[in-house]
Coordinates of all heavy atoms in Angstrom, one line a residue:
M1 N 0.8 -1.2 0.0 CA 0.0 0.0 0.0 C 0.9 1.2 0.0 O 1.9 1.3 0.7 CB -0.9 0.0 1.2 CG -1.7 1.2 1.4 SD -2.8 1.2 2.8 CE -4.1 0.2 2.3
I2 N 0.5 2.2 -0.8 CA 1.3 3.5 -0.9 C 0.6 4.5 0.0 O -0.6 4.8 -0.2 CB 1.4 4.0 -2.3 CG1 2.0 2.9 -3.2 CG2 2.1 5.3 -2.4 CD1 2.0 3.2 -4.7
P3 N 1.3 5.1 1.0 CA 0.7 6.1 1.8 C 0.4 7.4 1.0 O 1.1 7.8 0.1 CB 1.8 6.5 2.8 CG 3.1 6.1 2.2 CD 2.7 4.9 1.3
V4 N -0.8 7.9 1.2 CA -1.2 9.1 0.5 C -1.0 10.3 1.4 O -1.6 10.4 2.5 CB -2.7 9.0 0.1 CG1 -3.1 10.3 -0.6 CG2 -2.9 7.8 -0.8
L5 N -0.1 11.2 1.0 CA 0.2 12.4 1.9 C -0.5 13.6 1.2 O -0.6 13.6 0.0 CB 1.7 12.6 2.0 CG 2.5 11.5 2.6 CD1 4.0 11.7 2.5 CD2 2.1 11.3 4.0
P6 N -0.9 14.5 2.0 CA -1.5 15.7 1.5 C -0.5 16.5 0.7 O 0.7 16.6 1.0 CB -2.0 16.5 2.7 CG -1.1 16.0 3.8 CD -0.8 14.6 3.5
T7 N -0.9 17.0 -0.5 CA -0.1 17.9 -1.2 C 0.2 19.2 -0.4 O -0.7 19.8 0.2 CB -0.8 18.4 -2.5 OG1 -1.3 17.2 -3.2 CG2 0.0 19.2 -3.4
P8 N 1.5 19.5 -0.3 CA 1.9 20.6 0.6 C 1.0 21.9 0.5 O 0.6 22.5 1.4 CB 3.3 20.9 0.3 CG 3.8 19.6 -0.3 CD 2.7 19.0 -1.0
H9 N 0.8 22.3 -0.8 CA 0.1 23.6 -1.0 C -1.3 23.5 -0.7 O -2.0 24.5 -0.5 CB 0.4 24.1 -2.4 CG -0.4 23.4 -3.5 ND1 0.0 22.2 -3.9 CD2 -1.6 23.7 -4.1 CE1 -0.9 21.8 -4.9 NE2 -1.8 22.7 -5.0
L10 N -1.9 22.3 -0.5 CA -3.3 22.2 -0.1 C -3.5 22.1 1.4 O -4.6 22.2 1.9 CB -3.9 21.0 -0.8 CG -3.9 21.0 -2.3 CD1 -4.5 19.7 -2.9 CD2 -4.8 22.2 -2.8
S11 N -2.4 21.9 2.1 CA -2.5 21.6 3.5 C -2.0 22.8 4.4 O -2.3 22.8 5.6 CB -1.8 20.3 3.9 OG -0.5 20.4 3.6
S12 N -1.1 23.6 3.9 CA -0.6 24.6 4.8 C -0.3 25.9 4.0 O 0.3 25.9 2.9 CB 0.7 24.2 5.4 OG 1.7 23.8 4.4
R13 N -0.7 27.0 4.6 CA -0.4 28.3 4.0 C 1.0 28.7 4.4 O 1.2 28.8 5.6 CB -1.4 29.4 4.4 CG -2.8 29.2 3.8 CD -3.7 30.3 4.1 NE -4.9 30.2 3.2 CZ -5.6 31.2 2.9 NH1 -5.3 32.4 3.4 NH2 -6.7 31.1 2.2
T14 N 1.9 28.9 3.5 CA 3.3 29.2 3.8 C 3.6 30.7 3.7 O 4.7 31.1 4.1 CB 4.2 28.4 2.9 OG1 3.9 28.7 1.6 CG2 4.1 26.9 3.1
G15 N 2.7 31.4 3.2 CA 3.0 32.8 2.9 C 3.3 33.6 4.2 O 3.9 34.7 4.1
A16 N 2.8 33.2 5.3 CA 2.9 34.0 6.6 C 4.4 34.0 7.1 O 4.7 35.0 7.7 CB 2.0 33.4 7.7
W17 N 5.2 33.1 6.7 CA 6.6 33.1 7.2 C 7.6 33.3 6.1 O 8.8 33.2 6.4 CB 6.9 31.9 8.1 CG 6.5 30.6 7.5 CD1 5.4 29.9 7.8 CD2 7.2 29.8 6.5 NE1 5.3 28.7 7.1 CE2 6.4 28.6 6.3 CE3 8.4 30.0 5.8 CZ2 6.8 27.6 5.4 CZ3 8.8 29.0 4.9 CH2 8.0 27.8 4.7
R18 N 7.2 33.6 4.9 CA 8.1 33.8 3.8 C 9.0 35.0 4.1 O 8.5 36.1 4.5 CB 7.3 34.0 2.5 CG 8.1 34.2 1.3 CD 7.2 34.4 0.1 NE 6.3 35.6 0.3 CZ 5.0 35.5 0.4 NH1 4.4 34.4 0.2 NH2 4.3 36.6 0.7
M19 N 10.3 34.9 3.8 CA 11.2 36.0 3.9 C 11.5 36.7 2.6 O 11.9 37.9 2.6 CB 12.6 35.5 4.5 CG 12.4 34.8 5.9 SD 11.8 35.9 7.1 CE 13.3 36.9 7.4
L20 N 11.4 36.0 1.5 CA 11.6 36.5 0.2 C 10.4 36.3 -0.6 O 9.8 35.2 -0.5 CB 12.9 35.9 -0.4 CG 14.2 36.1 0.2 CD1 15.3 35.2 -0.4 CD2 14.6 37.6 0.1
R21 N 10.1 37.2 -1.5 CA 8.9 37.1 -2.4 C 9.4 37.1 -3.8 O 10.1 38.0 -4.3 CB 8.0 38.3 -2.1 CG 6.8 38.3 -3.0 CD 6.0 39.6 -2.9 NE 5.5 39.8 -1.5 CZ 4.5 40.7 -1.3 NH1 4.0 41.4 -2.2 NH2 4.1 40.9 0.0
P22 N 8.9 36.2 -4.6 CA 9.2 36.2 -6.1 C 8.4 37.3 -6.7 O 7.2 37.4 -6.5 CB 8.8 34.8 -6.6 CG 7.8 34.3 -5.6 CD 8.1 35.0 -4.3
V23 N 9.1 38.1 -7.5 CA 8.4 39.2 -8.3 C 8.6 38.9 -9.7 O 9.7 38.7 -10.2 CB 8.9 40.5 -7.8 CG1 8.4 41.7 -8.7 CG2 8.7 40.8 -6.4
L24 N 7.5 38.9 -10.5 CA 7.6 38.7 -11.9 C 7.8 39.9 -12.7 O 7.0 40.9 -12.5 CB 6.3 37.9 -12.4 CG 6.2 37.7 -13.9 CD1 7.1 36.6 -14.3 CD2 4.7 37.3 -14.2
E25 N 8.7 39.9 -13.6 CA 8.8 41.0 -14.6 C 8.2 40.5 -15.8 O 8.8 39.7 -16.6 CB 10.3 41.4 -14.8 CG 11.0 42.0 -13.6 CD 12.4 42.3 -13.8 OE1 12.8 43.0 -14.7 OE2 13.2 41.8 -13.0
A26 N 6.9 40.8 -16.0 CA 6.1 40.2 -17.0 C 6.6 40.4 -18.4 O 6.4 39.5 -19.3 CB 4.7 40.8 -16.9
E27 N 7.3 41.5 -18.7 CA 7.8 41.8 -20.0 C 8.9 40.8 -20.4 O 9.2 40.6 -21.6 CB 8.3 43.2 -20.2 CG 9.5 43.6 -19.4 CD 9.2 43.9 -17.9 OE1 8.0 43.8 -17.5 OE2 10.2 44.2 -17.2
K28 N 9.5 40.1 -19.5 CA 10.6 39.2 -19.8 C 10.0 37.7 -19.9 O 10.7 36.9 -20.4 CB 11.6 39.2 -18.7 CG 12.4 40.4 -18.6 CD 13.5 40.3 -17.5 CE 14.3 41.5 -17.3 NZ 15.3 41.4 -16.2
C29 N 8.8 37.5 -19.4 CA 8.3 36.2 -19.3 C 7.7 35.7 -20.7 O 7.0 36.5 -21.3 CB 7.1 36.1 -18.3 SG 6.3 34.5 -18.2
N30 N 8.1 34.5 -21.2 CA 7.6 34.0 -22.4 C 6.6 32.9 -22.2 O 6.2 32.2 -23.1 CB 8.7 33.6 -23.3 CG 9.5 32.4 -22.8 OD1 9.2 31.9 -21.7 ND2 10.5 31.9 -23.5
G31 N 6.2 32.6 -21.0 CA 5.2 31.6 -20.7 C 5.7 30.2 -20.8 O 4.9 29.3 -21.1
C32 N 7.0 30.0 -20.7 CA 7.5 28.6 -20.9 C 7.1 27.6 -19.8 O 7.2 26.4 -20.0 CB 9.0 28.7 -21.0 SG 9.8 29.1 -19.4
L33 N 6.7 28.1 -18.7 CA 6.2 27.3 -17.6 C 7.2 26.5 -16.8 O 6.9 25.6 -16.1 CB 5.0 26.4 -18.0 CG 3.8 27.1 -18.6 CD1 2.7 26.1 -19.0 CD2 3.2 28.0 -17.5
V34 N 8.5 26.8 -17.0 CA 9.5 26.1 -16.3 C 9.3 26.3 -14.8 O 9.4 25.4 -13.9 CB 10.9 26.6 -16.7 CG1 12.0 26.1 -15.7 CG2 11.2 26.0 -18.1
C35 N 9.0 27.6 -14.4 CA 8.8 27.9 -13.0 C 7.6 27.1 -12.4 O 7.6 26.6 -11.3 CB 8.6 29.4 -12.8 SG 7.2 30.0 -13.8
W36 N 6.6 27.0 -13.2 CA 5.4 26.2 -12.8 C 5.7 24.7 -12.6 O 5.2 24.1 -11.6 CB 4.3 26.4 -13.9 CG 3.1 25.6 -13.8 CD1 2.0 25.9 -13.0 CD2 2.7 24.4 -14.5 NE1 1.0 24.9 -13.1 CE2 1.5 24.0 -14.0 CE3 3.4 23.6 -15.4 CZ2 0.8 22.9 -14.5 CZ3 2.8 22.5 -15.9 CH2 1.5 22.1 -15.4
L37 N 6.6 24.2 -13.4 CA 7.0 22.8 -13.3 C 7.8 22.6 -12.0 O 7.7 21.6 -11.3 CB 7.8 22.4 -14.5 CG 7.0 22.1 -15.8 CD1 8.0 21.9 -16.9 CD2 6.2 20.8 -15.6
F38 N 8.7 23.5 -11.7 CA 9.6 23.4 -10.6 C 9.1 23.8 -9.2 O 9.6 23.3 -8.2 CB 10.9 24.1 -10.8 CG 11.9 23.4 -11.7 CD1 11.8 23.4 -13.1 CD2 12.8 22.5 -11.1 CE1 12.7 22.7 -13.9 CE2 13.7 21.8 -11.9 CZ 13.7 21.9 -13.3
C39 N 8.1 24.6 -9.1 CA 7.6 25.1 -7.8 C 7.1 23.9 -6.9 O 6.2 23.2 -7.3 CB 6.5 26.1 -8.0 SG 5.8 26.6 -6.4
P40 N 7.7 23.7 -5.8 CA 7.4 22.6 -4.9 C 6.0 22.8 -4.2 O 5.5 21.8 -3.7 CB 8.5 22.5 -3.9 CG 9.0 23.9 -3.8 CD 8.9 24.5 -5.2
E41 N 5.5 24.0 -4.2 CA 4.3 24.2 -3.5 C 3.1 24.4 -4.4 O 1.9 24.5 -3.9 CB 4.4 25.5 -2.7 CG 5.4 25.4 -1.6 CD 5.1 24.4 -0.5 OE1 3.9 24.2 -0.2 OE2 6.0 23.7 0.0
G42 N 3.3 24.3 -5.7 CA 2.2 24.5 -6.6 C 1.6 25.9 -6.5 O 0.4 26.0 -6.8
S43 N 2.4 26.8 -6.2 CA 1.8 28.2 -6.0 C 1.9 29.1 -7.3 O 1.5 30.2 -7.2 CB 2.5 28.9 -4.9 OG 3.6 28.3 -4.4
I44 N 2.4 28.5 -8.4 CA 2.4 29.3 -9.6 C 1.2 28.8 -10.5 O 1.0 27.6 -10.7 CB 3.8 29.1 -10.3 CG1 4.9 29.6 -9.4 CG2 3.8 29.7 -11.7 CD1 6.3 29.5 -10.0
R45 N 0.5 29.8 -11.0 CA -0.7 29.6 -11.8 C -0.4 30.0 -13.2 O 0.3 31.0 -13.5 CB -1.8 30.4 -11.3 CG -2.1 30.3 -9.8 CD -3.1 29.2 -9.5 NE -3.3 29.2 -8.0 CZ -2.8 28.3 -7.2 NH1 -2.0 27.4 -7.7 NH2 -3.0 28.3 -5.9
R46 N -0.9 29.2 -14.2 CA -0.8 29.6 -15.6 C -1.9 30.6 -15.8 O -3.0 30.5 -15.4 CB -1.1 28.4 -16.4 CG 0.1 27.4 -16.3 CD -0.2 26.2 -17.2 NE -1.1 25.3 -16.6 CZ -1.5 24.1 -17.1 NH1 -1.0 23.7 -18.2 NH2 -2.4 23.4 -16.5
E47 N -1.5 31.7 -16.6 CA -2.5 32.8 -16.7 C -2.2 33.5 -18.1 O -1.2 34.2 -18.2 CB -2.2 33.7 -15.6 CG -3.4 34.7 -15.4 CD -3.2 35.5 -14.1 OE1 -2.3 36.4 -14.0 OE2 -3.9 35.1 -13.1
N48 N -3.1 33.3 -19.0 CA -3.0 34.0 -20.3 C -1.6 34.1 -20.9 O -1.2 35.2 -21.2 CB -3.6 35.4 -20.1 CG -5.0 35.4 -19.6 OD1 -5.8 34.5 -20.0 ND2 -5.4 36.3 -18.8
G49 N -1.0 33.0 -21.1 CA 0.3 32.9 -21.7 C 1.5 33.4 -20.8 O 2.6 33.4 -21.2
S50 N 1.1 33.7 -19.5 CA 2.2 34.0 -18.6 C 1.9 33.2 -17.3 O 1.2 32.2 -17.3 CB 2.1 35.5 -18.3 OG 3.2 35.9 -17.4
V51 N 2.4 33.7 -16.2 CA 2.2 33.1 -14.9 C 1.8 34.1 -13.8 O 2.2 35.3 -14.0 CB 3.4 32.2 -14.5 CG1 3.6 31.0 -15.3 CG2 4.6 33.1 -14.4
S52 N 1.2 33.6 -12.8 CA 1.1 34.5 -11.6 C 1.4 33.6 -10.4 O 1.4 32.4 -10.4 CB -0.4 35.0 -11.5 OG -1.3 34.0 -11.3
I53 N 1.6 34.3 -9.3 CA 2.1 33.6 -8.1 C 1.0 33.7 -6.9 O 0.7 34.9 -6.6 CB 3.5 34.0 -7.6 CG1 4.5 33.7 -8.7 CG2 3.9 33.4 -6.3 CD1 5.7 34.5 -8.6
D54 N 0.6 32.6 -6.4 CA -0.3 32.7 -5.2 C 0.5 32.9 -4.0 O 1.1 31.9 -3.5 CB -1.2 31.4 -5.2 CG -2.2 31.5 -4.1 OD1 -2.1 32.3 -3.2 OD2 -3.2 30.7 -4.2
L55 N 0.6 34.1 -3.5 CA 1.5 34.4 -2.4 C 1.1 33.8 -1.1 O 1.9 33.6 -0.1 CB 1.7 35.9 -2.2 CG 2.4 36.6 -3.4 CD1 2.4 38.1 -3.2 CD2 3.9 36.0 -3.5
D56 N -0.2 33.4 -1.0 CA -0.6 32.7 0.3 C 0.1 31.4 0.5 O 0.3 30.9 1.6 CB -2.1 32.4 0.2 CG -3.0 33.7 0.5 OD1 -2.4 34.7 0.9 OD2 -4.2 33.6 0.4
Y57 N 0.5 30.8 -0.6 CA 1.1 29.4 -0.5 C 2.6 29.4 -1.0 O 3.2 28.3 -1.0 CB 0.3 28.4 -1.3 CG -1.1 28.3 -0.8 CD1 -2.2 29.0 -1.4 CD2 -1.4 27.5 0.3 CE1 -3.5 28.9 -0.9 CE2 -2.6 27.4 0.8 CZ -3.7 28.1 0.2 OH -4.9 28.0 0.7
C58 N 3.1 30.5 -1.4 CA 4.5 30.6 -1.8 C 5.4 30.7 -0.5 O 5.2 31.5 0.4 CB 4.7 31.8 -2.6 SG 6.5 32.3 -2.8
K59 N 6.4 29.8 -0.4 CA 7.2 29.8 0.8 C 8.5 30.6 0.6 O 9.4 30.6 1.5 CB 7.5 28.4 1.3 CG 8.3 27.5 0.3 CD 8.4 26.1 0.8 CE 9.1 25.2 -0.2 NZ 9.1 23.8 0.3
G60 N 8.7 31.2 -0.6 CA 9.9 32.0 -0.8 C 11.2 31.3 -1.0 O 12.3 31.8 -0.8
C61 N 11.1 30.0 -1.5 CA 12.3 29.2 -1.6 C 13.2 29.7 -2.8 O 14.4 29.4 -2.8 CB 12.0 27.7 -1.9 SG 11.1 27.5 -3.4
G62 N 12.7 30.3 -3.8 CA 13.5 30.9 -4.9 C 13.8 29.9 -6.0 O 14.5 30.3 -6.9
I63 N 13.2 28.7 -5.9 CA 13.5 27.8 -7.0 C 13.0 28.3 -8.3 O 13.7 28.2 -9.4 CB 12.8 26.4 -6.7 CG1 13.6 25.8 -5.5 CG2 12.9 25.5 -7.9 CD1 12.9 24.5 -5.0
C64 N 11.9 28.9 -8.3 CA 11.3 29.5 -9.6 C 12.2 30.5 -10.2 O 12.5 30.4 -11.4 CB 9.9 30.1 -9.3 SG 9.9 31.4 -8.0
A65 N 12.8 31.4 -9.4 CA 13.7 32.4 -9.9 C 15.0 31.8 -10.4 O 15.5 32.2 -11.4 CB 14.0 33.4 -8.8
R66 N 15.4 30.8 -9.7 CA 16.7 30.1 -10.1 C 16.5 29.3 -11.4 O 17.5 29.3 -12.2 CB 17.1 29.2 -9.0 CG 18.6 28.7 -9.1 CD 19.2 28.1 -7.9 NE 18.5 26.9 -7.5 CZ 17.9 26.7 -6.3 NH1 17.9 27.7 -5.4 NH2 17.3 25.6 -6.0
E67 N 15.4 28.8 -11.6 CA 15.2 27.9 -12.8 C 14.7 28.7 -14.0 O 14.8 28.2 -15.2 CB 14.2 26.8 -12.5 CG 14.6 25.8 -11.4 CD 15.9 25.1 -11.9 OE1 16.1 24.9 -13.1 OE2 16.6 24.7 -11.0
C68 N 14.2 29.9 -13.8 CA 13.6 30.7 -15.0 C 14.7 31.0 -16.0 O 15.7 31.7 -15.7 CB 13.0 32.0 -14.5 SG 12.5 33.0 -15.8
P69 N 14.6 30.5 -17.2 CA 15.6 30.7 -18.2 C 15.7 32.1 -18.7 O 16.7 32.5 -19.3 CB 15.2 29.8 -19.4 CG 13.7 29.6 -19.2 CD 13.5 29.7 -17.7
R70 N 14.7 32.9 -18.4 CA 14.7 34.3 -18.9 C 15.0 35.3 -17.8 O 14.8 36.5 -18.0 CB 13.4 34.6 -19.6 CG 13.3 33.8 -20.9 CD 12.0 34.1 -21.6 NE 11.9 35.5 -22.1 CZ 12.3 36.0 -23.2 NH1 12.9 35.1 -24.1 NH2 12.2 37.2 -23.5
R71 N 15.2 34.8 -16.6 CA 15.5 35.7 -15.4 C 14.3 36.7 -15.3 O 14.5 37.9 -15.0 CB 16.8 36.5 -15.6 CG 18.0 35.6 -15.7 CD 18.3 35.0 -14.3 NE 19.5 34.2 -14.3 CZ 19.5 32.8 -14.4 NH1 18.3 32.2 -14.4 NH2 20.6 32.1 -14.4
A72 N 13.1 36.2 -15.5 CA 11.9 37.0 -15.3 C 11.4 37.1 -13.9 O 10.5 37.9 -13.6 CB 10.8 36.5 -16.3
L73 N 11.9 36.2 -13.0 CA 11.5 36.3 -11.6 C 12.7 36.7 -10.8 O 13.9 36.2 -11.0 CB 11.1 34.9 -11.2 CG 9.7 34.4 -11.7 CD1 9.6 32.9 -11.7 CD2 8.6 35.1 -11.0
R74 N 12.5 37.5 -9.8 CA 13.6 37.9 -8.9 C 13.0 37.8 -7.5 O 11.8 38.1 -7.3 CB 14.2 39.2 -9.2 CG 13.2 40.4 -9.2 CD 13.8 41.7 -9.7 NE 12.8 42.7 -9.9 CZ 12.5 43.5 -8.9 NH1 13.2 43.5 -7.8 NH2 11.5 44.4 -9.1
M75 N 13.9 37.5 -6.6 CA 13.5 37.4 -5.2 C 13.7 38.7 -4.4 O 14.9 39.2 -4.5 CB 14.2 36.2 -4.5 CG 14.0 34.9 -5.2 SD 12.3 34.4 -5.3 CE 11.8 34.1 -3.6
V76 N 12.7 39.2 -3.8 CA 12.8 40.5 -3.1 C 12.5 40.3 -1.6 O 11.6 39.5 -1.3 CB 11.8 41.5 -3.8 CG1 11.8 42.8 -3.0 CG2 12.1 41.7 -5.2
E77 N 13.2 41.0 -0.8 CA 13.0 40.9 0.7 C 11.5 41.2 1.0 O 11.0 42.3 0.6 CB 13.9 41.9 1.4 CG 15.4 41.6 1.4 CD 15.8 40.7 2.5 OE1 15.0 40.4 3.4 OE2 16.9 40.2 2.4
E78 N 10.9 40.4 1.7 CA 9.5 40.6 2.1 C 9.3 41.9 2.9 O 8.3 42.5 2.7 CB 9.0 39.4 2.9 CG 7.5 39.2 3.1 CD 6.8 39.1 1.8 OE1 7.2 38.2 1.0 OE2 5.8 39.8 1.5
A79 N 10.3 42.3 3.7 CA 10.2 43.5 4.5 C 10.0 44.7 3.6 O 9.4 45.7 4.1 CB 11.4 43.6 5.3
S80 N 10.4 44.7 2.4 CA 10.3 45.8 1.5 C 8.8 46.0 1.1 O 8.5 47.1 0.5 CB 11.2 45.7 0.3 OG 10.8 44.7 -0.6
F81 N 8.0 45.1 1.3 CA 6.5 45.2 1.0 C 5.7 45.6 2.2 O 4.5 45.6 2.1 CB 6.0 43.9 0.4 CG 6.6 43.5 -0.9 CD1 7.7 42.7 -0.9 CD2 6.2 44.1 -2.1 CE1 8.3 42.3 -2.1 CE2 6.8 43.7 -3.3 CZ 7.9 42.9 -3.3
M82 N 6.3 45.8 3.3 CA 5.6 46.1 4.6 C 4.6 47.3 4.3 O 5.0 48.3 3.7 CB 6.5 46.5 5.7 CG 7.3 45.3 6.3 SD 6.1 44.2 7.1 CE 7.3 43.2 8.0
G83 N 3.4 47.1 4.8 CA 2.4 48.2 4.6 C 1.5 48.0 3.4 O 0.4 48.5 3.4
E84 N 2.0 47.1 2.5 CA 1.2 46.9 1.3 C 0.2 45.8 1.6 O -0.9 45.7 1.1 CB 2.0 46.4 0.1 CG 2.9 47.6 -0.4 CD 3.7 47.1 -1.6 OE1 3.3 46.1 -2.2 OE2 4.7 47.8 -1.9
G85 N 0.6 44.8 2.5 CA -0.4 43.8 2.9 C -0.5 42.7 1.8 O -1.2 41.7 2.0
G86 N 0.1 42.9 0.7 CA -0.1 41.9 -0.4 C 0.5 40.6 -0.1 O 1.7 40.5 0.1
G87 N -0.3 39.6 -0.1 CA 0.2 38.2 0.1 C 0.5 37.8 1.5 O 0.5 36.6 1.8
K88 N 0.6 38.7 2.4 CA 0.9 38.3 3.8 C -0.5 37.9 4.5 O -1.5 38.6 4.3 CB 1.5 39.4 4.6 CG 3.0 39.7 4.1 CD 3.9 38.5 4.3 CE 4.7 38.6 5.5 NZ 5.7 37.5 5.7
L89 N -0.4 36.9 5.3 CA -1.6 36.5 6.0 C -1.7 37.3 7.3 O -0.8 37.7 7.9 CB -1.5 35.0 6.3 CG -1.4 34.1 5.1 CD1 -1.2 32.6 5.6 CD2 -2.6 34.2 4.2
A90 N -2.9 37.5 7.7 CA -3.2 38.3 8.9 C -2.8 37.4 10.1 O -2.8 36.2 10.1 CB -4.6 38.7 9.0
Ligands
LIG1 S1 10.1 30.2 -16.1 FE1 10.3 32.4 -16.3 S2 9.8 32.8 -18.5 FE2 9.1 30.7 -18.0 S3 6.9 31.1 -17.4 FE3 8.2 31.2 -15.5 S4 8.6 33.3 -15.2 FE4 7.9 33.1 -17.3
LIG2 S1 9.5 31.0 -4.3 FE1 8.8 30.2 -6.3 S2 9.2 28.0 -6.3 FE2 9.3 28.7 -4.2 S3 7.3 28.4 -3.4 FE3 7.3 30.5 -4.1 S4 6.6 30.4 -6.2 FE4 7.1 28.3 -5.6

């Protein structure tokens, strides 16, 4: 019998403790979906030929930015978004 474990992104919101946030430079993105394939949390969504990031479930690991062949994603200190409230859980 194979144990069935919950998919990480369906069982825990990781956005509350993220230290770095992936930021997409949309003009560089060609929609190749490499980031979508590599994201361990399933927090990258396909969207009209590009991608978007569900920050509630992104843990800030940076794999997406590292794997992006076009350098369209960069990791930014979460503290620099203080006051915006975007993606951080209450
Ligand atoms: S890997 Fe980079 S270029 Fe490809 S879809 Fe993701 S952000 Fe866009
Ligand atoms: S940093 Fe990128 S790869 Fe890591 S969880 Fe967030 S969206 Fe996924």
Side-chain angles (χ1 to χ4, degrees):
M1 176 180 282
I2 300 172
V4 178
L5 300 173
T7 305
H9 74 282
L10 296 179
S11 61
S12 60
R13 289 186 168 203
T14 55
W17 48 261
R18 181 183 56 245
M19 301 298 287
L20 296 171
R21 177 189 298 196
V23 174
L24 176 70
E25 293 179 54
E27 67 279 2
K28 293 183 180 175
C29 176
N30 67 358
C32 69
L33 298 179
V34 168
C35 57
W36 175 78
L37 284 169
F38 276 87
C39 176
E41 297 297 325
S43 12
I44 296 179
R45 310 266 182 259
R46 293 180 283 182
E47 196 170 78
N48 299 326
S50 184
V51 291
S52 65
I53 298 162
D54 185 340
L55 293 173
D56 281 352
Y57 297 97
C58 166
K59 62 185 177 184
C61 64
I63 291 173
C64 55
R66 195 164 63 238
E67 297 297 333
C68 174
R70 294 180 62 89
R71 300 287 180 259
L73 289 158
R74 59 190 171 90
M75 302 305 291
V76 178
E77 290 275 349
E78 195 61 50
S80 67
F81 295 96
M82 285 295 192
E84 293 182 18
K88 292 297 264 184
L89 301 175

